[in-house]
């Protein structure tokens, strides 16, 4: 029952009905009260007019005063409610009366007569009401005047009871009230029915429609019944339902797409080799994909809630790690940050991560999202590629050295033949010092010539590549002249043209020499019957692309090339290159030579090196006339260029200092001992590092060793190992190293010993004596410190 009342009182129909009844009751009550008051006042007015009419008629002489004594006439005039009617003289005598018994009597004999109303000053008719035992009465007193009289001579008095009239008024009010109630009920019913048909029914339908929409029946629609406000509402609800259905469909499609995307992302995350991670504004990991989670968990437990520096990862350099921390704290993106870690199997792995900051719509920082990947295979592939490049470069240089072997052997034989011949002649002329000195000068000259050829071979057998420095190009070409003459087998004329002013470029001098050597070998092979090989260098300026003349072809000057260059040209008078293969000559393993006479890598390596040096190559070739290779290398300012030390003979005497000579080659031990003893040093020899350590230990009891002169490469302990062990026991010892492989040996020794004194084999006496003096000077400086 309570629910029924709640539904009844809570329904819109009930509220509208109550509102209609209340409004109509108020309106009809106001209007009904007004009409009741109006009708009551109208009755009073009519009564007053009716009761005052006989007095006015008598005053106007339209009615005789004697009518007052006629009850029938008065009843016709004033109705059945007339109570009293009298004509009263000025002195109070009653001259006419409806009651004949009162005629001739005084007004004092009339009970409750308003005597005070009668006065000589009364000029007009007065009306007033009185109450007595019979009820309420209305009284009319009309003064009657004679012709030209100033005061009334008589008064017409009428008294009418209002009881009957009031009863009639109450009946009329009852009728009016009942009619009002009936009108309220009828109008309320009509209005309710009208509202029910025009408003409530449509609102109820709209309410049911909204309920259907609420429960998911989005295809429901209303049928607008008009263009009124409810019709506008119905059309609006239909539009809303259509939009809601469309958006719901779109949302469902988006939900399905999102679900598919999440599943796809999850599948990609599980199957991808990359990692995915996310961190919050506190720069701590909030999400990690499976592989990243698995990696970090293997290293340092769960990554959840940890910062990068707590994950057990190691940056390749401290600088890079600090830069990452600064970028994270500054909320900046970062890319390709590399780090490493040691797996459980002891292998070193490398990783790379990228990250971008995430901001909210209001600009507040929310954290980072990023990716990562295992680049261990790339690192290893890069190392293998570098190793292959070194092998290719070494192979190419060794190929060149192999091709030079015949010429070099011929050159060495010539030098050795001359040395032996002059030595025999000098021995035969031992009694003639001037002739012996002349012959020994020739021996020394031939030895220097052989040393120069050996230095060239050592230069091209170096393994290290990409060691750029400032190189004077014309000097580098001139230093290769002897080697090139040997290579060209005397059937080809070599012409070297240098620029008037020195030209400099920043490249690896070994690679520059290898580049020229490769082009010279190709030129030699292109001139089987002999010819001329011209090598020259000059300066050139390449203008920007928009400033070039129409004569400058694009294939000569690349669009990106602009600036000052040093141009090295290698021109031959050989067979030339056919036009159909000119575009393929720089491809790896492309060769027109017979099998076994070339690898096809020479020009490819030259092209790659020139591009790595920010230069380019131009090739011009005419079949039957020859080919010209022009190598453009970026020009540099003059820098410190290593010049060959002048082999001047000098003398650095000793003062009895003890020098221990350690070498596994007897001839070198003997030669060095003679040189030092002749200069005033006390020299002793050892065949190995082990023997040298024993001599050093024994000499500490008698005469101590001042300087150790040791070969670098020996059987057993090497020279650097001997130096480390000897100086560990006796820090005051000075050490001088000697070797025939200066470049490779000195790089290895720099890693082991840092600063040291070195002399290259073969050496002059002055060079060896000077190195011993420098070692003694360093020893003195250490003792002072």
């Amino acid at each position: 029952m309570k629910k029924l009342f709640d539904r009844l009182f809570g329904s819109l129909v009930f509220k509208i009905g109550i509102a209609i009844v209340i409004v109509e009751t108020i309106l009809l009550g106001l209007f009904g009260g007004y009409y009741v008051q109006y009708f009551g006042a109208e009755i009073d007015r009519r009564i007053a007019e009716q009761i005052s009419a006989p007095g006015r008629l008598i005053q106007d002489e339209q009615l005789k005063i004697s009518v007052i004594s006629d009850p029938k006439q008065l009843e016709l005039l004033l109705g059945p409610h007339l109570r009293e009617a009298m004509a009263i003289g000025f002195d109070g005598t009653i001259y006419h009366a409806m009651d004949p018994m009162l005629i001739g009597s005084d007004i004092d004999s009339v009970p409750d007569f308003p005597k005070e109303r009668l006065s000589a000053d009364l000029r007009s008719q007065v009306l007033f009401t009185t109450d007595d035992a019979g009820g309420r009465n209305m009284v009319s007193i009309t003064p009657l005047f004679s012709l030209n009289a100033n005061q009334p001579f008589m008064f017409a008095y009428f008294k009418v009871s209002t009881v009957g009239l009031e009863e009639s008024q109450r009946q009329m009010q009852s009728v009016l009230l009942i009619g009002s109630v009936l009108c309220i009920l009828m109008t309320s019913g009509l209005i309710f029915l009208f509202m029910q048909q025009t408003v409530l029914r449509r609102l109820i339908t709209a309410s049911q429609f909204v309920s259907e929409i609420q429960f998911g029946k989005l295809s429901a629609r209303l049928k607008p019944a008009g263009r009124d406000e409810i019709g506008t509402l119905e059309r609006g609800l239909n539009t809303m339902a259509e939009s809601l259905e469309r958006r719901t469909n779109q949302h469902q499609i988006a939900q399905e797409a999102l679900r598919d995307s999440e599943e796809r992302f999850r599948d990609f995350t599980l199957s991808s080799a990359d990692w995915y991670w996310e961190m919050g504004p506190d720069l701590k990991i909030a999400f990690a994909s499976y592989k990243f989670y698995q990696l970090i968990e293997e290293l340092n437990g769960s990554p959840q809630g940890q910062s990068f520096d707590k994950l057990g990862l190691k940056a390749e350099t401290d600088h890079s790690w600090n830069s990452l921390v600064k970028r994270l704290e500054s909320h900046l993106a970062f890319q390709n940050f590399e780090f490493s870690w040691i797996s459980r199997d002891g292998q070193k792995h490398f990783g790379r991560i990228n990250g971008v900051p995430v901001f909210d719509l209001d600009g507040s920082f929310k954290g980072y999202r990023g990716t990562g990947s295992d680049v261990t295979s790339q690192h290893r592939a890069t190392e293998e590629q570098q190793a292959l490049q070194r092998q290719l470069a070494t192979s190419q240089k060794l190929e060149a050295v192999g091709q030079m072997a015949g010429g070099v052997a011929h050159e060495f034989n010539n030098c050795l033949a001359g040395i032996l011949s002059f030595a025999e002649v000098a021995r035969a002329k031992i009694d003639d010092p001037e002739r012996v000195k002349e012959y020994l000068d020739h021996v020394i000259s031939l030895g220097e010539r052989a040393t120069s050829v050996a230095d060239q071979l050592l230069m091209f057998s170096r393994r290290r590549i990409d060691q750029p420095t400032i190189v004077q190009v014309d000097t580098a070409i001139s230093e290769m002249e002897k080697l090139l003459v040997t290579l060209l087998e005397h059937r080809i004329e070599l012409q070297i043209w240098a620029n008037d002013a020195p030209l400099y470029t920043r490249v690896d001098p070994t690679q520059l020499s290898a580049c020229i050597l490769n082009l010279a070998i190709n030129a030699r092979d292109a001139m089987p019957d002999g010819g001329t090989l011209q090598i020259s260098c000059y300066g050139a300026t390449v203008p920007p692309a928009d400033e070039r003349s129409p004569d400058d072809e694009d294939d000569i000057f690349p669009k990106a090339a602009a600036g000052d260059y040093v141009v090295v040209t290698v021109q031959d008078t050989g067979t030339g290159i056919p036009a159909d293969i000119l575009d393929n000559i720089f491809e790896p393993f492309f060769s027109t030579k017979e099998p076994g006479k070339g690898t096809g890598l020479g020009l490819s390596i030259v092209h790659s090196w020139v591009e790595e040096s920010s230069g380019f190559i131009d090739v011009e070739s005419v079949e039957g006339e020859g080919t010209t290779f022009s190598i453009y290398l970026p020009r540099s300012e003059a820098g410190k260029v290593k010049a060959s030390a002048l082999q001047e003979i000098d003398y650095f005497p000793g003062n009895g200092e003890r020098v221990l000579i350690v070498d596994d080659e007897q001839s070198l031990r003997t030669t060095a001992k003679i040189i030092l003893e002749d200069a005033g040093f006390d020299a002793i020899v050892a065949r190995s590092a082990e023997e040298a350590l024993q001599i050093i230990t024994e000499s500490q009891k008698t005469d101590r060793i001042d300087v150790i002169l040791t070969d670098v490469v020996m059987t057993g302990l090497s020279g650097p190992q001997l130096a480390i062990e000897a100086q560990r026991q006796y820090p005051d010892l000075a050490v001088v190293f000697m070797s025939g492989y200066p470049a490779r040996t000195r790089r290895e020794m720099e890693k082991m010993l840092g600063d040291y004194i070195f002399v290259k084999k073969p050496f002059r006496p002055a060079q060896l004596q000077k190195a011993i003096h420098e070692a003694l000077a360093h020893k003195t400086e250490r003792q002072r410190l």
Side-chain angles (χ1 to χ4, degrees):
M1 183 63 70
K2 181 179 180 182
K3 292 183 179 180
L4 181 60
F5 280 109
D6 290 340
R7 291 182 60 184
L8 176 63
F9 295 143
S11 64
L12 181 61
V13 175
F14 180 79
K15 292 177 180 179
I16 291 177
I18 292 298
I20 293 173
V21 171
I22 292 173
V23 171
E24 287 193 349
T25 300
I26 292 173
L27 292 177
L28 292 179
L30 292 175
F31 285 108
Y34 169 76
Y35 282 115
V36 167
Q37 292 179 359
Y38 173 78
F39 290 149
E42 183 66 20
I43 291 173
D44 291 340
R45 186 185 63 79
R46 290 182 180 181
I47 292 173
E49 184 179 353
Q50 184 180 7
I51 198 172
S52 61
R56 289 198 307 274
L57 293 175
I58 293 173
Q59 185 179 23
D60 294 336
E61 297 181 351
Q62 295 180 8
L63 187 64
K64 293 180 178 181
I65 196 170
S66 59
V67 73
I68 294 174
S69 298
D70 187 355
K72 293 182 179 180
Q73 289 293 328
L74 290 176
E75 186 176 359
L76 292 174
L77 289 173
L78 298 177
H81 302 291
L82 180 63
R83 300 270 308 269
E84 293 180 356
M86 292 180 293
I88 303 169
F90 183 76
D91 56 356
T93 303
I94 299 173
Y95 293 97
H96 297 280
M98 187 178 65
D99 184 5
M101 299 298 294
L102 295 177
I103 296 174
S105 61
D106 191 84
I107 59 175
D108 293 333
S109 60
V110 179
D112 301 324
F113 185 83
K115 185 177 180 180
E116 68 279 0
R117 296 282 186 174
L118 303 178
S119 65
D121 297 331
L122 187 63
R123 292 287 185 270
S124 60
Q125 186 180 55
V126 295
L127 296 172
F128 57 91
T129 58
T130 61
D131 294 321
D132 54 16
R136 184 171 174 267
N137 303 299
M138 181 171 286
V139 177
S140 170
I141 299 176
T142 304
L144 301 177
F145 295 91
S146 60
L147 188 61
N148 297 325
N150 293 326
Q151 59 182 7
F153 69 92
M154 188 175 291
F155 299 94
Y157 173 80
F158 298 97
K159 182 178 181 181
V160 179
S161 175
T162 62
V163 175
L165 296 174
E166 291 175 353
E167 181 65 25
S168 300
Q169 185 178 9
R170 283 193 295 272
Q171 292 178 357
M172 183 189 67
Q173 289 176 348
S174 299
V175 172
L176 182 60
L177 179 61
I178 294 171
S180 298
V181 171
L182 293 176
C183 181
I184 289 173
L185 294 176
M186 291 180 65
T187 55
S188 297
L190 292 174
I191 293 174
F192 179 77
L193 291 175
F194 177 75
M195 291 288 294
Q196 176 71 22
Q197 295 297 320
T198 59
V199 177
L200 293 179
R201 183 174 57 83
R202 296 166 68 184
L203 289 178
I204 291 172
T205 304
S207 175
Q208 294 174 352
F209 166 76
V210 172
S211 298
E212 292 177 352
I213 296 295
Q214 181 180 1
F215 286 106
K217 190 177 180 181
L218 301 179
S219 60
R221 295 292 183 271
L222 290 171
K223 295 181 180 180
R227 297 188 175 273
D228 53 6
E229 289 79 0
I230 297 180
T232 302
L233 175 62
E234 291 170 342
R235 288 188 290 272
L237 289 175
N238 284 337
T239 304
M240 179 195 70
E242 292 173 358
S243 176
L244 184 61
E245 183 180 15
R246 183 172 60 255
R247 293 186 179 183
T248 302
N249 293 334
Q250 294 174 353
H251 180 69
Q252 289 177 352
I253 295 173
Q255 286 280 3
E256 294 175 358
L258 178 61
R259 190 181 306 109
D260 294 341
S261 176
E262 289 178 349
E263 293 178 356
R264 190 180 303 113
F265 176 75
R266 183 166 53 252
D267 295 339
F268 287 159
T269 302
L270 293 175
S271 61
S272 174
D274 290 338
W275 314 318
Y276 305 92
W277 56 270
E278 184 177 14
M279 63 170 48
D282 57 353
L283 302 182
K284 293 184 178 179
I285 299 295
F287 165 78
S289 63
Y290 175 72
K291 291 193 175 180
F292 193 38
Y293 194 100
Q294 190 178 35
L295 167 65
I296 302 304
E297 189 175 33
E298 178 182 349
L299 294 176
N300 199 23
S302 172
Q304 205 79 13
Q306 297 193 58
S307 56
F308 273 136
D309 56 349
K310 304 295 184 183
L311 297 180
L313 306 175
K314 182 180 179 182
E316 287 302 287
T317 61
D318 293 337
H319 174 72
S320 62
W321 184 261
N322 293 333
S323 64
L324 174 63
V325 172
K326 290 180 180 178
R327 295 192 75 84
L328 287 174
E329 292 176 349
S330 302
H331 304 161
L332 299 175
F334 60 91
Q335 291 182 342
N336 298 330
F337 173 75
E338 292 196 0
F339 56 90
S340 61
W341 71 93
I342 305 298
S343 62
R344 290 182 179 178
D345 56 2
Q347 296 292 326
K348 185 176 182 180
H349 296 262
F350 297 88
R352 181 185 297 145
I353 56 173
N354 309 297
V356 293
V358 181
F359 297 94
D360 208 343
L361 294 177
D362 58 357
S364 59
F365 176 67
K366 295 182 62 178
Y368 272 89
R369 292 194 186 104
T371 62
S373 56
D374 188 338
V375 294
T376 304
S377 58
Q378 298 178 20
H379 269 260
R380 293 174 180 170
T382 302
E383 293 174 356
E384 292 177 359
Q385 182 180 8
Q386 292 174 352
L388 288 175
Q389 288 178 348
R390 289 193 295 269
Q391 292 176 8
L392 283 174
T394 302
S395 173
Q396 187 63 27
K397 287 185 286 187
L398 290 177
E399 180 184 353
V401 171
Q403 295 194 37
M404 290 189 297
V408 170
H410 176 72
E411 188 72 15
F412 268 115
N413 287 331
N414 288 338
C415 293
L416 290 174
I419 290 172
L420 292 173
S421 298
F422 281 113
E424 290 290 338
V425 173
R427 185 170 61 179
K429 300 292 183 180
I430 193 68
D431 295 332
D432 188 354
E434 293 296 328
R435 298 291 297 275
V436 170
K437 182 178 181 300
E438 178 184 353
Y439 297 153
L440 290 179
D441 287 341
H442 286 295
V443 170
I444 293 173
S445 177
L446 290 170
E448 289 179 345
R449 179 178 171 184
T451 300
S452 175
V453 174
D455 288 341
Q456 290 290 326
L457 288 174
L458 289 173
M459 179 185 70
F460 285 106
S461 64
R462 292 176 188 170
R463 294 184 179 182
R464 186 174 179 181
I465 62 173
D466 192 16
Q467 208 171 13
T469 184
I470 301 297
V471 178
Q472 186 173 338
V473 180
D474 51 351
T475 302
I477 296 175
S478 298
E479 291 177 351
M480 296 184 63
E481 183 174 1
K482 292 182 180 180
L483 187 61
L484 290 173
V485 169
T486 303
L487 181 69
L488 297 177
E489 302 172 352
H490 304 290
R491 60 185 171 84
I492 297 173
E493 180 184 358
L494 175 64
Q495 298 178 357
I496 296 179
W497 296 348
N499 195 60
D500 294 337
L503 298 173
Y504 300 91
T505 185
R506 189 175 188 276
V507 294
D508 183 347
T510 303
Q511 294 295 329
L512 176 60
S513 301
C515 173
I516 296 173
L517 183 62
N518 272 306
L519 294 177
I521 292 174
N522 283 346
R524 183 200 64 186
D525 295 341
M527 296 182 288
D529 300 327
T532 302
L533 175 64
Q534 295 179 354
I535 301 177
S536 63
C537 66
Y538 60 91
T541 300
V542 177
D546 55 350
E547 298 179 6
R548 298 174 190 172
S549 64
D551 297 334
D552 294 335
E553 299 180 4
D554 292 339
D555 56 350
I556 295 179
F557 298 142
K559 294 182 179 179
D564 296 330
Y565 288 87
V566 176
V567 185
V568 178
T569 63
V570 179
Q571 182 177 4
D572 63 65
T573 58
T575 57
I577 303 174
D580 57 341
I581 65 171
L582 189 62
D583 295 336
N584 306 110
I585 61 174
F586 294 119
E587 295 178 2
F589 305 105
F590 179 83
S591 177
T592 58
K593 299 178 183 179
E594 298 177 5
K597 292 188 177 182
T599 61
L601 292 173
L603 291 179
S604 174
I605 292 176
V606 169
H607 186 267
S608 299
W609 174 77
V610 172
E611 285 192 342
E612 290 175 359
S613 301
S614 302
F616 57 93
I617 301 179
D618 175 44
V619 183
E620 295 181 1
S621 183
V622 177
E623 285 192 73
E625 296 183 7
T627 304
T628 301
F629 285 87
S630 299
I631 302 172
Y632 288 76
L633 298 173
R635 188 170 178 177
S636 301
E637 296 295 330
K640 294 183 179 180
V641 183
K642 291 185 179 180
S644 300
L646 295 176
Q647 304 295 330
E648 296 181 355
I649 299 177
D650 206 341
Y651 186 66
F652 297 91
N655 192 23
E657 292 88 351
R658 298 198 72 192
V659 180
L660 175 60
I661 303 170
V662 186
D663 200 310
D664 54 2
E665 180 64 37
Q666 181 179 356
S667 60
L668 286 174
R669 292 197 305 269
T670 304
T671 304
K673 187 174 186 299
I674 293 172
I675 292 173
L676 294 178
E677 287 180 345
D678 289 345
F681 295 96
D682 182 10
I684 57 177
V685 296
R687 291 174 295 181
S688 64
E690 291 80 5
E691 182 181 351
L693 289 174
Q694 184 178 357
I695 294 174
I696 293 171
T697 303
E698 294 175 353
S699 66
Q700 297 302 314
K701 302 175 182 178
T702 56
D703 295 331
R704 294 187 177 184
I705 302 297
D706 295 308
V707 181
I708 301 175
L709 174 62
T710 176
D711 191 10
V712 175
V713 181
M714 296 183 296
T715 304
L717 293 178
S718 65
Q721 292 172 333
L722 168 62
I724 293 173
E725 182 63 24
Q727 289 185 336
R728 184 182 64 82
Q729 298 181 17
Y730 310 104
D732 293 338
L733 283 172
V735 180
V736 176
F737 295 99
M738 55 183 176
S739 177
Y741 301 91
R744 183 180 64 188
T745 302
R746 297 185 69 170
R747 287 196 299 272
E748 295 173 353
M749 290 170 60
E750 284 176 0
K751 297 179 181 179
M752 298 175 62
L753 302 175
D755 191 15
Y756 58 92
I757 298 174
F758 184 88
V759 61
K760 182 176 75 70
K761 298 178 183 178
F763 45 76
R764 293 286 189 89
Q767 293 173 334
L768 181 59
Q769 296 165 11
K770 182 180 179 182
I772 299 298
H773 272 275
E774 290 178 354
L776 291 172
H778 286 179
K779 176 181 178 181
T780 303
E781 290 179 2
R782 290 201 307 270
Q783 290 175 348
R784 289 176 181 175
L785 298 175

